[in-house]
Amino acid sequence: MVRFLNVTLAYLKNCIASTRSVEGFKQSLVRNEDQFQSYCNKIFAGWDFCITDVNAARLKHSSLQYELKTDLEEERLRQRVAERTTQEKVRIYCLRIFLNLIVLAVLSACFYAIYRATVYSQENISCDKKIKLEDNLWIQYLPSIVITMANFIAPLIFSVLIKLEDYSPAFEIRLTLMRCVFVRLANIGVLLFSLWTRITFCVDQKCQACGYNYKLYPCWESRVGQEMYKLMIFDFIIIFAVTVFVDFPRKLLVTHCSWKACRWCGLQEFDIPNNVLEMVYGQTICWIGTFYCPLLPAIATIKYFIIFYVKKISLMHTCKPSSRPFRASSSNFFFLVVLLIGLILAFIPLGLSMTHIRSSKACGPFVYFTHSWDVIAYTINRFPDVLKKVLNSMASEAFAVPFFMVLCLIMFYFMALAGAHKRVVNQLREQLVMESRDKLFLIRKLTEAQRLS
């Protein structure tokens, strides 16, 4: 019971924290500006005069230069798109459709590989001592290895294909990140689907009466928890190994080796979006596996504590700043939305497993219940009569219908409030435009007066 309440409180806390994504949406709504205003803000108000360090000033200068180049490139692309002929539009749309078909083929290959690896691993996991430990570990970690390879190879293919689709630089970044997010989260979903099909697959009538494949999975909750644990551990091993055994030797080769190949390779760029997506991916694994492996949050805490300092040392000594900076306001909103999607992805398999798959009869805290969800009704029935009546009334239609109506009224109120705020923002922008025109008019009159005098 303590395990169930701990998991429930953790999910509620993370659900409340995920609502912060609305703040990023409001900031992006207010900060939306036209192109001319964007140029003026970057040229006349983009420099931070509190910067005193030379390296920080050089970094800020390169960031502003990149943003101006990006804006000019987007403006050039908009003009080129407006001047496209019908033949050119057909050609580019056909090319994008073909490249998106390649993306779908890559995704399908990744999903099929994960499914086959999971099925092979679940069928061949053995506790026989005659089998070598290396072979058994290879079979056990095969799904995690395939998922990690898919997470590494697919973004590289997407980064090559996006350059052929002729999008603006800003949209290229967003679309690539969306594809990478989909790959990472969908890979976890395919793994869970593969486990679901194996757990619920029954051949004889005895297995169907039990409700799950008790021969292959006598404790299916523990097996799911093991898969999430192995995925978390292998993800940590890969991040640590790449940082220590790839980035640090690369720094030494670039610094102390005079070969042209090493100089051309250069230092590793610290890509903030991909590093944040790695954290979101690990957090999603933690959310899904917490119910089946209660110690997984503690393992994730230790993992990211170590990774933080490893990444910090790597950033300070082996990496260079990214040549394509990511705006903090838009990235904050984007990553919070991705985190919310990961939380929803964690809720779906958890809810289905608690309500549709029967609990294991060999082990676990729910052996005396048909489903894990039944422990809630059992616990409520043990409450005092007064508290039981309150909870039953809250679960009745007499409470649900008025509560839903009140929520609808609150939603409509906030929608109207958002529309009013948007109109106020538009009016303030118009006032700024009018004030700038008034200033130009006064300057023109002052110049004419000076000429006459």
Side-chain angles (χ1 to χ4, degrees):
M1 185 63 191
V2 175
R3 171 187 176 184
F4 180 79
L5 292 176
N6 185 23
V7 173
T8 305
L9 291 175
Y11 279 120
L12 289 176
K13 179 181 177 182
N14 290 321
C15 184
I16 294 172
S18 64
T19 57
R20 292 178 55 194
S21 60
V22 180
E23 298 179 2
F25 175 74
K26 291 188 292 185
Q27 292 177 3
S28 63
L29 178 65
V30 174
R31 294 180 183 179
N32 189 21
E33 56 190 5
D34 56 12
Q35 202 65 30
F36 180 74
Q37 185 179 355
S38 175
Y39 291 144
C40 294
N41 289 337
K42 289 183 177 67
I43 294 174
F44 297 106
W47 186 257
D48 186 4
F49 290 92
C50 296
I51 296 177
T52 57
D53 185 66
V54 177
N55 294 326
R58 187 181 298 110
L59 180 61
K60 182 66 175 179
H61 181 270
S62 61
S63 176
L64 288 174
Q65 184 181 11
Y66 171 76
E67 290 185 2
L68 289 172
K69 286 182 178 179
T70 303
D71 292 339
L72 293 174
E73 180 67 19
E74 290 180 355
E75 184 67 23
R76 185 183 65 82
L77 287 175
R78 277 193 291 268
Q79 293 179 358
R80 191 175 68 182
V81 169
E83 296 174 355
R84 279 176 183 168
T85 61
T86 304
Q87 184 179 1
E88 292 177 346
K89 290 181 180 179
V90 172
R91 183 188 62 81
I92 193 65
Y93 290 149
C94 293
L95 178 61
R96 289 174 181 176
I97 292 173
F98 175 73
L99 294 176
N100 280 280
L101 290 177
I102 296 177
V103 171
L104 292 177
V106 172
L107 293 176
S108 301
C110 293
F111 297 159
Y112 181 76
I114 294 170
Y115 177 78
R116 296 305 306 171
T118 305
V119 172
Y120 179 81
S121 175
Q122 296 300 312
E123 290 179 348
N124 293 276
I125 288 178
S126 175
C127 297
D128 191 357
K129 295 182 180 179
K130 296 181 180 180
I131 299 178
K132 293 183 179 180
L133 179 62
E134 296 82 3
D135 297 336
N136 199 14
L137 285 176
W138 171 261
I139 294 174
Q140 288 184 2
Y141 280 87
L142 183 61
S144 301
I145 294 172
V146 174
I147 290 175
T148 304
M149 290 179 62
N151 294 338
F152 178 75
I153 295 174
L156 295 178
I157 299 175
F158 297 157
S159 62
V160 175
L161 295 178
I162 195 67
K163 296 178 181 179
L164 304 175
E165 296 184 65
D166 197 14
Y167 289 119
S168 63
F171 188 76
E172 283 185 5
I173 296 176
R174 288 195 294 267
L175 184 59
T176 304
L177 288 177
M178 290 173 62
R179 288 173 176 173
C180 295
V181 168
F182 181 78
V183 167
R184 288 179 177 271
L185 298 184
N187 287 342
I188 301 177
V190 173
L191 174 64
L192 295 175
F193 175 77
S194 305
L195 293 174
W196 174 286
T197 56
R198 299 296 299 173
I199 292 171
T200 58
F201 178 74
C202 295
V203 179
D204 53 4
Q205 295 181 354
K206 187 177 180 181
C207 176
Q208 293 178 356
C210 185
Y212 66 96
N213 193 347
Y214 67 93
K215 294 182 179 179
L216 188 60
Y217 300 95
C219 300
W220 66 267
E221 293 97 342
S222 299
R223 186 66 67 84
V224 175
Q226 289 173 4
E227 292 298 328
M228 295 297 105
Y229 168 78
K230 289 184 286 188
L231 203 59
M232 177 75 71
I233 295 299
F234 197 77
D235 183 60
F236 169 73
I237 293 174
I238 291 299
I239 294 175
F240 184 83
V242 169
T243 305
V244 175
F245 299 108
V246 176
D247 293 344
F248 281 97
R250 181 176 178 176
K251 165 70 174 180
L252 295 176
L253 289 175
V254 172
T255 305
H256 302 287
C257 186
S258 60
W259 293 350
K260 291 184 178 180
C262 297
R263 297 292 182 181
W264 176 80
C265 183
L267 295 176
Q268 173 69 27
E269 290 187 358
F270 190 80
D271 195 358
I272 295 177
N274 288 331
N275 281 276
V276 176
L277 289 182
E278 288 180 357
M279 296 177 62
V280 173
Y281 171 74
Q283 182 64 57
T284 305
I285 297 174
C286 180
W287 276 334
I288 296 174
T290 298
F291 183 76
Y292 307 102
C293 183
L295 292 178
L296 198 61
I299 298 173
T301 303
I302 298 173
K303 166 191 170 183
Y304 283 108
F305 181 82
I306 298 174
I307 286 178
F308 173 79
Y309 286 100
V310 171
K311 290 285 187 179
K312 180 181 177 181
I313 296 173
S314 175
L315 173 65
M316 301 299 294
H317 298 284
T318 66
C319 295
K320 65 180 180 179
S322 177
S323 59
R324 307 182 75 176
F326 208 71
R327 292 183 179 91
S329 59
S330 59
S331 62
N332 184 44
F333 169 62
F334 176 78
F335 293 132
L336 287 175
V337 169
V338 172
L339 193 63
L340 181 61
I341 295 173
L343 182 62
I344 295 173
L345 178 64
F347 269 124
I348 293 174
L350 179 63
L352 292 176
S353 64
M354 291 175 64
T355 56
H356 288 75
I357 303 179
R358 293 191 178 185
S359 303
S360 298
K361 303 303 178 183
C363 65
F366 308 112
V367 291
Y368 300 106
F369 300 96
T370 305
H371 299 92
S372 303
W373 187 260
D374 296 338
V375 70
I376 298 178
Y378 174 77
T379 305
I380 292 176
N381 290 329
R382 299 179 62 184
F383 285 164
D385 294 336
V386 177
L387 182 58
K388 191 189 302 183
K389 290 181 180 179
V390 172
L391 294 176
N392 290 330
S393 62
M394 292 178 64
S396 63
E397 294 84 355
F399 177 82
V401 174
F403 181 71
F404 179 74
M405 293 178 64
V406 171
L407 285 180
C408 290
L409 292 174
I410 294 174
M411 183 182 66
F412 286 130
Y413 167 75
F414 279 106
M415 289 175 63
L417 189 63
H421 288 169
K422 188 175 182 179
R423 286 192 296 270
V424 170
V425 170
N426 292 330
Q427 290 176 1
L428 291 175
R429 287 176 178 171
E430 292 177 358
Q431 290 181 5
L432 288 174
V433 173
M434 293 298 295
E435 288 179 1
S436 62
R437 292 177 180 175
D438 293 340
K439 291 178 180 178
L440 290 175
F441 177 76
L442 292 175
I443 292 174
R444 193 180 298 112
K445 290 296 183 182
L446 181 61
T447 304
E448 292 177 358
Q450 289 178 353
R451 289 177 181 177
L452 294 175
S453 63

